[in-house]
């Protein structure tokens, strides 16, 4: 229920932002707005404002819409025709349609700006292990080096170091890495291998770098509903003792055991409420072939050394630039992933639907304001990008029609538009079905 609540909160925020973009620009362009609806279906609340716009809250929280005066939908009095959407110039109609996705992208910039100004906590990028003969070893990196810069960008946390290295992996380029080693700053050239989008999460591993992580007690935190851990009976607060008879010293050791045991049964003993219990757990096989169980660590039972803690923080002006860069990088990555799915380079299994988003929303809210705002920014960017795709019924589909109108000098026929909407509806339903099917597969196996 908590995940559902935060999912609805997140969705409501992003829908209002998107539709308000359309609404605000439409009003500025002199178009009369008849209805501003959050949700679909029969209204459960409505109010007519002084501006004559009907504000509606509907029960199906899968989107919203702004209904504008339009001669193609109903007869309009002569005195109001100048306020009709279809009577506006091409540039105004384009501005109104673009405003929704633009509002989502602008919100993401503002959200990232807020995060960068207030500070994003993390762990210092200190190297824990270097794989022999790896890219990292060949470049000269050694255990204990702290990565402080990548191509001139400050990297105070592992997350910032990862984001700085990832663009280099798109083309397999080298990066200038500055490390702090024994109080001395050293410059190395790190060759970064070219990897696919699906391999991005394994970048550090492919480079031969294992981050130095604080030792966390092997205590189960939140479990994913119907995931392997949940199905086996593990609960939040369970302290892991042994796996296949071998003592579990810390959370890192537990994670390594799970990764190596994909599809295999593991005999586990654990402590719950002061009593030893046992069960058998079978990790599922992840996309990269490693095992996973759908459970996080409860950090309340561990303390992170102060000298390992850092944060990414910028001044207001520098934060503005970083926020725009972060939004651009995530938007371009989203587009590349979608293109990869169309070309078969990226598996459609990576597509997530409402169940996955709800679970992430609940989890991010539990982790605090910083994580939840970051989640909102990423979903807002995704909505903005998806809506710009040239699919009929989406904003991008309308823009495509406007482009055709600009080239032809007149709009395409109403019948052609109706046919396009049917195709668009089919594509959207197919997309939703795929995402929902993936959710159910993850949930029930």
């Amino acid at each position: 229920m908590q995940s559902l609540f935060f999912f609805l909160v997140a969705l409501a925020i992003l829908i209002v932002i998107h539709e308000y973009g359309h609404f605000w620009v439409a009003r500025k362009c002199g178009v009369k707005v008849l209805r501003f609806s959050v949700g679909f279906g029969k209204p459960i609340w409505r109010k007519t404002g002084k501006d004559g716009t009907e504000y509606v809250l509907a029960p199906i929280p899968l989107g919203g819409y702004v209904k504008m005066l339009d001669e193609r939908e109903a007869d309009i009095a002569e005195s109001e025709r100048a306020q009709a959407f279809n009577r506006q110039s091409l540039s105004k109609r384009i501005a109104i349609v673009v405003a929704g996705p633009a509002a989502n992208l602008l919100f993401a910039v503002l959200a990232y700006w807020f995060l960068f100004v207030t500070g994003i906590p993390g762990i210092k990028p200190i190297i824990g292990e270097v794989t022999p003969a790896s890219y990292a070893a060949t470049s000269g990196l050694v255990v204990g080096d702290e990565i402080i810069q990548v191509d001139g960008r400050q990297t105070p946390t592992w997350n910032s170091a990862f984001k700085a290295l990832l663009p280099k992996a798109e083309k397999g380029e080298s990066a200038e890495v500055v490390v702090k080693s024994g109080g001395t700053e050293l410059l190395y050239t790190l060759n970064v291998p070219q990897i696919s989008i699906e391999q991005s999460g394994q970048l550090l591993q492919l480079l031969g770098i294992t981050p130095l992580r604080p030792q966390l007690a092997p205590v189960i935190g939140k479990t994913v509903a119907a995931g392997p851990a949940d199905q086996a009976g593990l609960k939040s607060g369970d302290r892991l003792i042994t796996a296949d008879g071998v003592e579990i010293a810390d959370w890192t050791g537990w994670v390594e055991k799970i990764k190596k045991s994909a599809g295999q049964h593991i005999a586990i003993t654990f402590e719950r409420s002061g009593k030893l219990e046992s069960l058998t757990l079978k990790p599922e096989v992840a996309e990269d072939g490693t095992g996973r169980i759908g459970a996080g660590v409860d950090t309340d039972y561990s303390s992170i050394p102060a000298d390992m803690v850092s944060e990414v923080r910028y001044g207001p002006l520098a934060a503005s630039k970083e926020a725009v860069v972060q939004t651009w990088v995530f938007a371009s990555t989203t587009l590349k992933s979608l293109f990869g799915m169309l070309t078969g380079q990226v598996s459609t299994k990576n597509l997530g639907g409402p169940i996955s988003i709800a679970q992430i929303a609940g989890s991010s809210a539990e982790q605090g304001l910083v994580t939840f705002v970051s989640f909102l920014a990423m979903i807002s960017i995704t909505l903005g990008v998806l809506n710009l795709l040239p699919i009929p019924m989406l904003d991008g589909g309308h823009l495509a029609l406007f482009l055709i109108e600009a080239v032809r000098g007149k709009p395409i026929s109403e019948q052609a538009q109706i046919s396009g909407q049917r195709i668009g509806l089919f594509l959207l339903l197919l997309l939703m079905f795929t995402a929902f099917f993936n959710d159910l597969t993850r949930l029930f196996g």
Side-chain angles (χ1 to χ4, degrees), residues 288-347:
D288 59 2
T290 61
R292 65 183 180 189
I293 62 171
V297 62
D298 191 336
T299 56
D300 290 340
Y301 292 84
S302 308
S303 59
I304 301 175
D307 60 354
M308 292 187 67
V309 178
S310 185
E311 69 173 5
V312 177
R313 184 191 292 268
Y314 299 96
L317 189 59
S320 300
K321 177 184 176 182
E322 292 298 326
V324 171
V325 170
Q326 180 68 23
T327 300
W328 169 256
V329 169
F330 191 83
S332 60
T333 301
T334 301
L335 276 174
K336 290 173 184 175
S337 296
L338 291 171
F339 182 74
M341 290 181 190
L342 290 175
T343 59
Q345 296 177 330
V346 176
S347 173

Side-chain angles (χ1 to χ4, degrees), residues 103-117 320 323-324 327 373 377:
N104 283 127
L105 297 176
L106 178 60
F107 169 78
V109 171
L110 293 175
Y112 282 130
W113 179 88
F114 168 77
L115 294 177
F116 286 136
V117 168
S320 300
V324 171
T327 300
V373 172

Side-chain angles (χ1 to χ4, degrees), residues 57 62 65 74 76 83 99 153 163 187 227-228 232 237 249-250 267 275 277 301 340 354 384 387 410 415 418 428:
L57 185 63
L62 296 178
Y65 62 92
I76 298 174
Q83 295 178 283
R153 292 176 61 85
K163 288 180 178 179
L187 174 65
D250 55 29
K275 296 181 180 179
E277 298 188 28
Y301 292 84
N387 269 284
K410 60 180 181 179
Q415 184 58 44
I418 293 174
L428 288 177

Side-chain angles (χ1 to χ4, degrees), residues 213-345:
R213 300 290 191 187
Q215 281 198 328
L216 300 176
V219 180
I220 297 291
K222 185 179 179 181
T223 60
V224 176
D230 181 50
Q231 290 181 333
L234 285 175
K235 297 180 179 179
S236 178
D238 289 346
R239 179 180 287 271
L240 303 163
I241 307 298
T242 66
D244 288 336
V246 179
E247 181 182 358
I248 302 172
D250 55 29
W251 185 260
T252 301
W254 166 248
V255 171
E256 289 303 314
K257 173 65 176 176
I258 294 300
K259 285 184 175 180
K260 296 176 181 177
S261 305
Q264 303 173 22
H265 290 90
I266 307 173
I268 298 169
T269 59
F270 60 96
E271 181 183 337
R272 177 184 294 170
S273 302
K275 296 181 180 179
L276 284 180
E277 298 188 28
S278 61
L279 55 79
T280 300
L281 175 67
K282 182 181 179 182
E284 65 183 7
V285 182
E287 295 295 330
D288 59 2
T290 61
R292 65 183 180 189
I293 62 171
V297 62
D298 191 336
T299 56
D300 290 340
Y301 292 84
S302 308
S303 59
I304 301 175
D307 60 354
M308 292 187 67
V309 178
S310 185
E311 69 173 5
V312 177
R313 184 191 292 268
Y314 299 96
L317 189 59
S320 300
K321 177 184 176 182
E322 292 298 326
V324 171
V325 170
Q326 180 68 23
T327 300
W328 169 256
V329 169
F330 191 83
S332 60
T333 301
T334 301
L335 276 174
K336 290 173 184 175
S337 296
L338 291 171
F339 182 74
M341 290 181 190
L342 290 175
T343 59
Q345 296 177 330

Side-chain angles (χ1 to χ4, degrees), residues 21-212:
H22 291 308
F23 173 80
W24 188 81
V25 175
R27 295 281 298 275
K28 288 295 181 181
C29 290
V31 176
K32 183 176 182 179
V33 178
L34 303 177
R35 175 179 287 186
F36 185 120
S37 178
V38 177
F40 298 111
K42 186 176 181 180
I44 56 177
W45 176 87
R46 67 174 71 196
K47 180 181 179 181
T48 301
K50 295 180 181 179
D51 54 3
T53 300
E54 182 184 34
Y55 298 90
V56 171
L57 185 63
I60 304 176
L62 296 178
Y65 62 92
V66 170
K67 184 177 181 181
M68 292 170 272
L69 195 67
D70 197 313
E71 289 179 295
R72 296 168 298 182
E73 297 181 2
D75 293 330
I76 298 174
E78 182 66 35
S79 59
E80 291 187 318
R81 287 182 179 176
Q83 295 178 283
F85 175 79
N86 65 291
R87 288 289 183 110
Q88 306 307 308
S89 65
L90 185 59
S91 60
K92 285 186 177 181
R93 280 179 283 149
I94 289 175
I96 293 170
V97 171
V98 168
N104 283 127
L105 297 176
L106 178 60
F107 169 78
V109 171
L110 293 175
Y112 282 130
W113 179 88
F114 168 77
L115 294 177
F116 286 136
V117 168
T118 57
I120 304 174
I123 304 297
K124 287 183 179 180
I126 302 173
I127 298 175
E129 293 181 24
V130 176
T131 304
S134 64
Y135 292 96
T138 303
S139 71
L141 296 176
V142 297
V143 173
D145 283 350
E146 179 185 348
I147 302 173
I148 59 175
Q149 283 185 24
V150 174
D151 282 347
R153 292 176 61 85
Q154 299 296 321
T155 55
T157 65
W158 269 118
N159 189 40
S160 60
F162 173 80
K163 288 180 178 179
L165 288 168
L166 191 57
K168 296 295 181 180
E170 293 181 3
K171 297 181 180 180
E173 301 173 334
S174 62
E176 298 298 313
V177 177
V178 177
V179 303
K180 185 184 292 184
S181 181
T184 303
E185 291 187 7
L186 302 173
L187 174 65
Y188 295 103
T189 298
L190 175 63
N191 292 320
V192 182
Q194 186 174 11
I195 62 175
S196 66
I197 293 176
E198 289 187 313
Q199 293 176 304
S200 59
Q202 306 170 52
L203 175 58
L204 293 179
Q205 179 183 342
L206 294 172
L207 286 170
I209 296 174
T210 300
L212 179 64

